[in-house]
Amino acid sequence: MDFQLTEDQRALRDGVRDLLEGRFDRTALRAAVDASERAGAAALDRELWRELGAAGFFSLALPEADGGVGLGLPEAVLAFEEAGRALLPGPLVATFLAAGEIPGAASGDVMVTAADGPLVAWLDEADVVRGDVAGAVPARSVDPLTPLHRLPADAPREDGGPFLDGAGALLTAAEQLGSAARTTEMAVQYARERVQFGQLIGAFQAVKHLCAQMLVRAEIARGAVYAAAVTGDPLEVCGAKLLADDAAVRNARDCLQVHGGMGFTWEADVHLHLKRAWVRAGTGRSAGDAEEALAAAL
């Protein structure tokens, strides 16, 4: 398969990146994190949510006749990859999937969340909740910008739904891919700036190996995510989510190692990527279940 982006797809990716850099840059991210720490709970920026809706973020896949942009899943993957890169908070996937079905979701006037495996994100703030969330209780979230509720262990689970094997799982994988690519860039940039023992740390072979492995993980995940976006095959989506989860978590850890002691501080952004990657990896189908599904299909 040829995964080179078309001119229109590059323009879409660049447009989403410019939008997020202008509206949710590092300063805005840190302000949201600090505000959530002071308040004890994250609050969604409703104005930003509506701006995303006005820009067509949630209606990318809706037909033009229904007020959408008329694009497909590959283009949606590019947009969500940028969202993951920027650590954009909120139930983006659930709201995107609800566009065209729930009034106001496409325009960003309504925020939608959904039962997604054992965890439900943004349950208290959501305007619409999809799925059975009876008995959900607040759960401590490691990510300061993703409040969570946990469903009872015996709660009914949707088998093969969009969050497990469909577009929801793929778009979550795309967010993981964006985060994995971003932490690779952060590690390489720091290795080019930080001096120890009289030379840049990027000159040390151990650091080079870490950065190279991060790039390999991100690019393997990218191939899997882009391929699954083209085929839409549930098993390929399953594999893409596994690879993207692994790339996001392990790249964030390696990025933290490249940063050394600085990476462990609150001021560094590395821990935010790692915590979000952990939360995303815990949504939808578990890694063990995904591996069993892939093994059964061999």
Side-chain angles (χ1 to χ4, degrees), residues 221-270:
R222 185 186 307 282
V225 170
Y226 285 8
V230 172
T231 66
D233 181 81
L235 284 175
E236 293 195 14
V237 171
C238 204
K241 178 69 162 50
L242 270 176
L243 288 169
D245 284 346
D246 180 68
V249 171
R250 294 177 67 187
N251 278 17
R253 285 175 170 167
D254 283 353
C255 182
L256 192 151
Q257 187 169 348
V258 170
H259 278 71
M262 180 66 189
F264 286 89
T265 64
W266 178 256
E267 287 74 17
D269 293 342
V270 186

